[in-house]
Amino acid sequence: ENGKGYKILLDLYEGPQYKIRNISWSGNYIHSDEKLLHRLNFNPGDVFTENEFNIAISERVSPLYTDNGYFYSQINPSYTPVDDDLLDIHFEIVENQIVHIRKININGNEKTHENVIRRELRVFPGDIFNRKKLMDSYRDIFMLNFFDNVMPDIISVSENEIDIQLDV
């Protein structure tokens, strides 16, 4: 009620609840269908929840690639409704090249010696890109308590090299 005595009623139809019928993969050469499906942790018969499904892709499947140098990998799901309540899901994987780190630049540091920041890094020039190590590095630099924020930026150099820029 809005204080004037009016009631607002909404008639909401959520539509059918979809269950997963099939999950298929193509373009994956590094990891098997079984390994990708295990990491996704969704199986035929499970209720499809878009938000949980997207989280599973970004937090469980994608790191199989991004933690092993495949910075430019892509995981593209397509959804095909079947009957009224089933869903076929097909993943097109584009693995691309393994990427190496060319340079790591630190900008905006006016609080400490640069080597204090650099010794917190878990990635180094020449290394194969590793998203987890990079995120751990950002966290460790932030935990030094010198900076209000640590902003990572990845700069594409070529199909197999990147630069990392840290704005502190």
Side-chain angles (χ1 to χ4, degrees):
E1 296 191 31
N2 64 5
K4 295 185 179 181
Y6 297 110
K7 279 190 178 181
I8 300 171
L9 294 173
L10 298 174
D11 188 13
L12 183 64
Y13 174 67
E14 293 182 341
Q17 185 179 51
Y18 282 96
K19 289 189 177 170
I20 298 169
R21 184 178 83 157
N22 290 314
I23 298 174
S24 58
W25 309 82
S26 64
N28 53 307
Y29 302 101
I30 297 154
H31 301 295
S32 68
D33 293 5
E34 294 76 22
K35 184 172 187 176
L36 294 171
L37 185 61
H38 177 74
R39 286 297 288 265
L40 183 67
N41 201 22
F42 273 84
N43 295 295
D46 289 351
V47 172
F48 176 79
T49 309
E50 185 175 19
N51 191 41
E52 289 176 17
F53 198 77
N54 289 337
I55 289 170
I57 295 168
S58 66
E59 292 184 4
R60 296 199 297 262
V61 179
S62 183
L64 282 174
Y65 290 98
T66 58
D67 290 350
N68 291 291
Y70 293 91
F71 175 73
Y72 294 115
S73 65
Q74 298 171 28
I75 301 171
N76 304 310
S78 59
Y79 308 98
T80 306
V82 180
D83 299 329
D84 289 334
D85 61 351
L86 297 173
L87 208 53
D88 283 351
I89 302 169
H90 179 72
F91 287 95
E92 180 65 40
I93 308 285
V94 181
E95 293 173 340
N96 286 317
Q97 304 290 323
I98 285 182
V99 172
H100 286 81
I101 299 166
R102 186 182 72 157
K103 288 193 297 192
I104 300 173
N105 300 314
I106 298 171
N107 294 334
N109 172 35
E110 297 173 359
K111 303 264 175 115
T112 187
H113 294 287
E114 189 167 303
N115 67 322
V116 173
I117 298 169
R118 288 198 179 271
R119 72 179 175 217
E120 298 299 323
L121 293 174
R122 298 174 186 215
V123 292
F124 305 98
D127 284 0
I128 290 175
F129 176 80
N130 182 308
R131 183 198 58 87
K132 182 179 184 327
K133 285 183 181 178
L134 189 58
M135 298 311 288
D136 289 347
S137 298
Y138 294 145
R139 185 197 65 228
D140 292 347
I141 292 167
F142 186 73
M143 295 300 286
L144 289 170
N145 285 326
F146 286 123
F147 310 107
D148 293 333
N149 206 351
V150 178
M151 296 299 296
D153 194 14
I154 296 174
I155 300 157
S156 179
V157 176
S158 68
E159 68 179 21
N160 59 5
E161 273 189 325
I162 57 152
D163 287 349
I164 296 172
Q165 182 167 309
L166 290 171
D167 291 323
V168 295

